[in-house]
Amino acid sequence: MDNLVAIAGIGLTPLRPVSPDLSFRELVFEAATRAYADAGVDPRDVDGVVTVAEDLHEGTSITDEYTPDQLGAVLKPVQTVAGDGLQGLAAACLLIRSGAADVVVVEAHSKASNVLEHEEVLAMALDPTYERPWGLDPHAVAALEMRRYLHEAGVPERAVAEVVVANRRRALRNPFAAYGADLTVEQVLTDTVVADPLRAAMVSQTADGAVVLVLAAPETARALRGRPVMVRGIGWASDEPSLSGRPWAEATYAHLAAAMAYRDAGLRAPGREVDLFEVDDTYAHKQLQHLEAALGLPPGGALREGAALAAADRVNASGGHLGMGYGYDASALVRVAVTALQVRGEAGPMQVPGVRTAVVLSWRGVPTTTGGAVVLGAA
Amino acid sequence: MRRRGSRRVAVIGAGLSRFVRRALETGKELSYYAAGQALESAGVRRRDVEAVVMASAPDAFDGQHMKGEYLLDGAGAYRKPYFRVYVGGGSGVFSIISGWTLVASGMFDLVLVVAEEKMSPTQPHPQAAFITIFDHTIERPLGPNLLWIFALEQTRYMQTYGIRNEEIALVSVKNKRNALGHPASQVAEAVTVEQVLASEVVAWPVHRLMVSPVSDGAAAIVLASERVARRLSPRPVWVEGIGWSLDTSYWGNRDLAYPRYVEQAARMAYAMAGITDPRREIHVVEPYDPFAYKELHHLEGLLLADRGKAAEDLVRGRFDREGALPSSPSGGLLGVGNPIAAAGLMKVCEIFWQLRGEAGPRQVPNAPRRGLAQAWGDLMQIGTVVVLGV
């Protein structure tokens, strides 16, 4: 039990397609205020802060310069992880597990509406020598992957469209979601082609928002006001960065990250022991791939063995990125926040009954092969 | 901070590429080279490494979005837990702090830490990329660059304590001379105070020879838990203290004469290391010296000199390689070069070699048992400190 970390406070702003009335600092201030109030923590008592940000998403170089003030963290040990929300969560957990800190705040935000050409920014993540000269639209990378996945897994396009319909519909019950909608499979399958076979409705749309979590060592968390949720295990991993060398049908990074988190949590049979899976669905087919990783299944397993889970609302009850909106690296931490609410039984209309153990599985998006996994449990 | 007893963590290997103005190698290749050297010196194979930490400064230098992802295979992180930590110019020393948490937490026994920087792709000069570090509303319209704001800080420092530019020039003289013994150095030379002051004024009172160069390079270290370190290494160097502190983004509201964030970081590291009298207990120091005045500024922030008095100590020879407290025996950023994140980790490497008695012509006398490396960055805002000991 020594290696447990508690989520002692949760602060999340509702995600929105645009937020012209608020700067990112104001969004973060709002989330931080909620998190500190939820935990009953004075920001002066925080020992360390981890923020999650990438320069080119922020439009500011060395963007960690602008992190301390709105969190009440001036002259504190503040660090940034230029990575996924779950990698930021991992860095925060490490501070507590190493004994360096008792109370740590982790923050992520998205002001995606400020990014005029999302695809052009993403294209700059491709290898400058070997990959950029092709002039690829990054969504085409996802489409290539989807094509290979459908082929190897024997999954029909219709099954991918069903993911979209289900997630957008679930988001109608999620007060934090920006893209709740009642669609039909035909509407998804006849939507504009982004890059064959990827349809526009299969791509999550960007959203603005901020999330702050207050973490604490378990004994400290118990003394606080909030209702703690335990981080039972955490994992993260990266696969081959080049497009030419990576596996295309299987999310190897997600398998590695999930295995690490399960090992850390002592979780042996995720299909039986986990009540709720929140897996990345930046593109609809990724939900199937990532669910396979979370359950340790080969390509195609999500449809065969994961179908019952999905039918029972035990997969992406939040509506996922497709339903909530995609906020770059903040997305994963947003999913942790709504999942922690599920474990607390405080998820409102989207509450899944009896969630005691939940898994969040993340991906950094095209063109990366980096992802994370976390096992949350009731205190 | 609680600082309860955690697992001891050791540095067991270090590696460094040459620092050059324009490397022909890609960032991946520089990372691979430094990582390979660190692994070889530690006597471990790439596949034995359990997790990797990467540090690199702004993506704008390379025009590479999510630079950490791009560098990951060069750093040996293929199919491993890997992330990139980031505190601007402080990233190099922060990387060992992050690596320490991976091992001290009990999650990993053998961790590779790599810091890489390739500034040369920015044409015509990396200073152009620095316009994007400023506040988009308040500061960017003024068209500032780093040389201007550091000239402001140096002026404030000199004015507050009555320090002369001749004294600050002496830092360049000392560090560039120290670097003559460094095989990786880019701008080692024997210069005089007169030559420094005769070099072009880039932003008064900063002269060209008071500024570290634009560099490409990489550095790496291998960290191990106590159990693994004792098995693998004849002379492990222990991480005794870590500290870091980030000040407000509104640097224009601060008194620039004193780096209070460096003091915070140092106090955190000293408390963890059980150091109560740093001037006696630290035997060799590598303070961050991207500009000549910064070394003095930082020695004061680290509580290794009285406020405003570091220049006097310097003139008296206290910080020479043979002095009472050798400072930047590597040659520092002014002598070895400044590939930003790699320069910070280079300072950690130097302390590692000094404490093991492996610094060759740069070795300080009297077998130092405890050393400190420090880096600094963001908008004159972050201090990162690590105390190593044998």
Side-chain angles (χ1 to χ4, degrees):
Chain A
M1 301 300 275
D2 205 13
N3 58 5
L4 287 181
V5 172
I7 299 176
I10 303 166
L12 178 63
T13 70
L15 302 186
R16 292 191 283 164
V18 292
S19 51
D21 53 327
L22 293 171
S23 70
F24 86 88
R25 292 177 196 173
E26 290 165 315
L27 284 170
V28 171
F29 181 77
E30 184 178 330
T33 306
R34 287 176 191 216
Y36 292 137
D38 185 44
V41 161
D42 186 310
R44 277 171 290 210
D45 297 329
V46 170
D47 298 321
V49 175
V50 179
T51 66
V52 171
E54 276 286 357
D55 281 2
L56 298 197
H57 286 150
E58 304 292 328
T60 297
S61 289
I62 325 185
T63 190
D64 64 295
E65 295 164 344
Y66 298 100
T67 50
D69 297 82
Q70 57 273 20
L71 287 163
V74 168
L75 283 175
K76 284 192 180 289
V78 180
Q79 60 168 295
T80 292
V81 170
D84 181 73
L86 286 192
Q87 292 176 315
L89 182 66
C93 288
L94 289 166
L95 283 175
I96 293 174
R97 286 165 70 156
S98 66
D102 241 353
V103 179
V104 177
V105 165
V106 54
E107 176 270 329
H109 63 269
S110 159
K111 192 74 171 163
S113 64
N114 279 355
V115 181
L116 295 180
E117 302 291 348
H118 171 60
E119 287 77 12
E120 286 186 23
V121 173
L122 270 188
M124 282 194 276
L126 292 166
D127 185 292
T129 315
Y130 297 108
E131 293 165 0
R132 266 190 246 173
W134 302 342
L136 267 182
D137 180 301
H139 293 314
V141 175
L144 278 170
E145 186 190 82
M146 178 179 168
R147 172 68 79 206
R148 188 71 203 168
Y149 173 71
L150 297 185
H151 172 73
E152 279 191 35
V155 167
E157 283 175 42
R158 196 176 175 80
V160 178
E162 280 165 1
V163 168
V164 179
V165 172
N167 287 9
R168 299 286 295 269
R169 199 169 285 157
R170 287 197 195 99
L172 291 168
R173 300 198 299 260
N174 179 349
F176 298 103
Y179 295 104
D182 209 355
L183 304 177
T184 64
V185 169
E186 282 62 41
Q187 277 175 302
V188 175
L189 286 175
T190 55
D191 202 1
T192 317
V193 175
V194 176
D196 189 56
L198 189 66
R199 305 264 167 182
M202 296 170 180
V203 184
S204 55
Q205 300 169 76
T206 57
D208 297 351
V211 54
V212 173
L213 302 177
V214 179
L215 307 183
E219 63 274 17
T220 307
R222 274 189 283 277
L224 294 172
R225 181 200 308 148
R227 294 187 52 201
V229 171
M230 293 298 162
V231 177
R232 286 181 48 195
I234 192 152
W236 68 102
S238 298
D239 195 13
E240 168 66 50
S242 82
L243 295 182
S244 55
R246 64 177 62 177
W248 285 81
E250 202 168 23
T252 307
Y253 56 89
H255 282 269
L256 291 168
M260 180 178 162
Y262 295 165
R263 219 170 30 244
D264 196 30
L267 189 83
R268 286 192 184 79
R272 281 205 316 278
E273 294 177 56
V274 177
D275 306 305
L276 174 66
F277 292 93
E278 285 281 340
V279 301
D280 174 276
D281 60 330
T282 303
Y283 299 91
H285 72 277
K286 294 300 284 188
Q287 173 166 327
L288 301 173
Q289 245 188 8
H290 288 149
L291 186 59
E292 283 155 8
L295 291 166
L297 300 172
L303 278 197
R304 291 190 299 274
E305 290 157 68
L309 286 176
D313 266 351
R314 285 171 60 195
V315 180
N316 289 357
S318 65
H321 297 348
L322 288 162
M324 291 186 78
Y326 177 61
Y328 303 122
D329 289 317
S331 308
L333 211 59
V334 167
R335 300 287 286 278
V336 173
V338 293
T339 308
L341 290 174
Q342 290 276 8
V343 175
R344 289 193 346 190
E346 294 174 1
M350 65 172 157
Q351 181 69 47
V352 176
V355 178
R356 292 196 55 79
T357 302
V359 166
V360 179
L361 196 140
S362 71
W363 173 50
R364 289 203 75 194
V366 169
T368 79
T369 52
T370 291
V374 61
V375 181
L376 301 180
Chain B
M1 283 261 164
R2 164 171 51 173
R3 297 178 203 98
R4 67 173 177 214
S6 44
R7 301 208 309 168
R8 290 182 84 194
V9 179
V11 188
I12 61 167
L16 197 61
S17 80
R18 280 190 65 196
F19 288 3
V20 295
R21 172 64 179 87
R22 189 168 276 109
L24 295 177
E25 294 84 355
T26 63
K28 283 179 196 268
E29 289 166 325
L30 291 171
S31 303
Y32 182 84
Y33 179 81
Q37 199 183 99
L39 292 169
E40 195 183 319
S41 75
V44 295
R45 295 164 302 182
R46 206 168 245 99
R47 67 165 179 260
D48 298 327
V49 170
E50 295 172 316
V52 180
V53 173
M54 166 58 70
S56 195
D59 296 23
F61 287 148
D62 313 70
Q64 184 65 36
H65 180 37
M66 301 199 274
K67 183 160 52 165
E69 303 294 329
Y70 167 72
L71 294 170
L72 83 85
D73 51 353
Y78 170 68
R79 296 203 168 170
K80 293 193 166 111
Y82 165 84
F83 56 51
R84 172 184 171 205
V85 293
Y86 197 41
V87 283
S91 295
V93 171
F94 189 76
S95 64
I96 182 176
I97 295 174
S98 183
W100 176 89
T101 68
L102 290 174
V103 179
S105 65
M107 283 190 91
F108 305 99
D109 283 314
L110 196 65
V111 169
L112 177 63
V113 176
V114 185
E116 177 275 351
E117 209 71 63
K118 198 150 189 228
M119 302 171 76
S120 62
T122 322
Q123 299 291 340
H125 194 282
Q127 277 301 332
F130 280 118
I131 184 70
T132 57
I133 76 168
F134 290 94
D135 183 284
H136 46 66
T137 307
I138 302 169
E139 293 160 359
R140 261 185 241 181
L142 300 170
N145 73 34
L146 286 188
L147 290 157
W148 298 5
I149 67 168
F150 298 145
L152 281 175
E153 192 177 69
Q154 180 177 335
T155 305
R156 179 70 191 153
Y157 178 56
M158 290 166 68
Q159 197 262 346
T160 303
Y161 299 115
I163 297 166
R164 294 176 305 125
N165 223 9
E166 286 77 7
E167 294 167 312
I168 285 170
L170 200 52
V171 176
S172 299
V173 173
K174 170 178 74 72
N175 289 5
K176 285 177 179 294
R177 190 178 55 221
N178 281 353
L180 287 169
H182 203 303
S185 78
Q186 180 184 346
V187 283
E189 59 180 324
V191 286
T192 62
V193 167
E194 291 69 34
Q195 283 171 304
V196 173
L197 291 177
S199 67
E200 175 192 359
V201 174
V202 285
W204 191 88
V206 179
H207 292 257
R208 179 165 299 286
L209 292 180
M210 293 175 179
V211 188
S212 58
V214 171
S215 311
D216 294 350
I221 55 169
V222 179
L223 296 177
S225 63
E226 181 164 14
R227 183 175 57 85
V228 171
R230 292 210 187 278
R231 206 172 68 222
L232 292 178
S233 178
R235 286 206 78 191
V237 173
W238 303 101
V239 180
E240 296 188 344
I242 54 168
W244 69 108
S245 175
L246 183 63
D247 208 340
T248 171
S249 317
Y250 301 97
W251 61 275
N253 297 355
R254 294 203 303 267
D255 186 349
L256 301 177
Y258 184 73
R260 56 182 185 173
Y261 44 90
V262 172
E263 180 184 332
Q264 288 273 106
R267 285 190 184 279
M268 182 176 163
Y270 293 154
M272 188 169 160
I275 291 174
T276 51
D277 184 359
R279 290 181 205 189
R280 296 171 61 90
E281 294 175 73
I282 300 288
H283 307 136
V284 54
V285 60
E286 281 280 345
Y288 208 57
D289 61 328
F291 288 73
Y293 79 97
K294 287 308 297 184
E295 176 153 333
L296 305 174
H297 212 227
H298 289 150
L299 286 165
E300 292 168 19
L302 292 167
L303 311 173
L304 296 173
D306 290 340
R307 281 195 200 193
K309 301 290 185 199
E312 287 175 28
D313 291 354
L314 173 74
V315 172
R316 284 203 307 271
R318 182 172 169 234
F319 301 129
D320 289 348
R321 187 176 282 140
E322 322 290 331
L325 179 62
S327 180
S328 293
S330 66
L333 281 54
L334 289 165
V336 187
N338 185 13
I340 299 178
L345 198 55
M346 176 274 285
K347 288 191 163 271
V348 176
C349 294
E350 181 70 13
I351 296 296
F352 171 77
W353 288 318
Q354 291 286 352
L355 297 183
R356 300 231 298 191
E358 295 172 356
R362 306 185 310 285
Q363 184 65 47
V364 306
N366 306 322
R369 294 181 317 283
R370 202 182 243 153
L372 179 151
Q374 174 253 334
W376 161 88
D378 291 352
L379 283 167
M380 307 184 279
Q381 187 183 2
I382 178 108
T384 50
V385 172
V386 63
V387 175
L388 302 178
V390 288

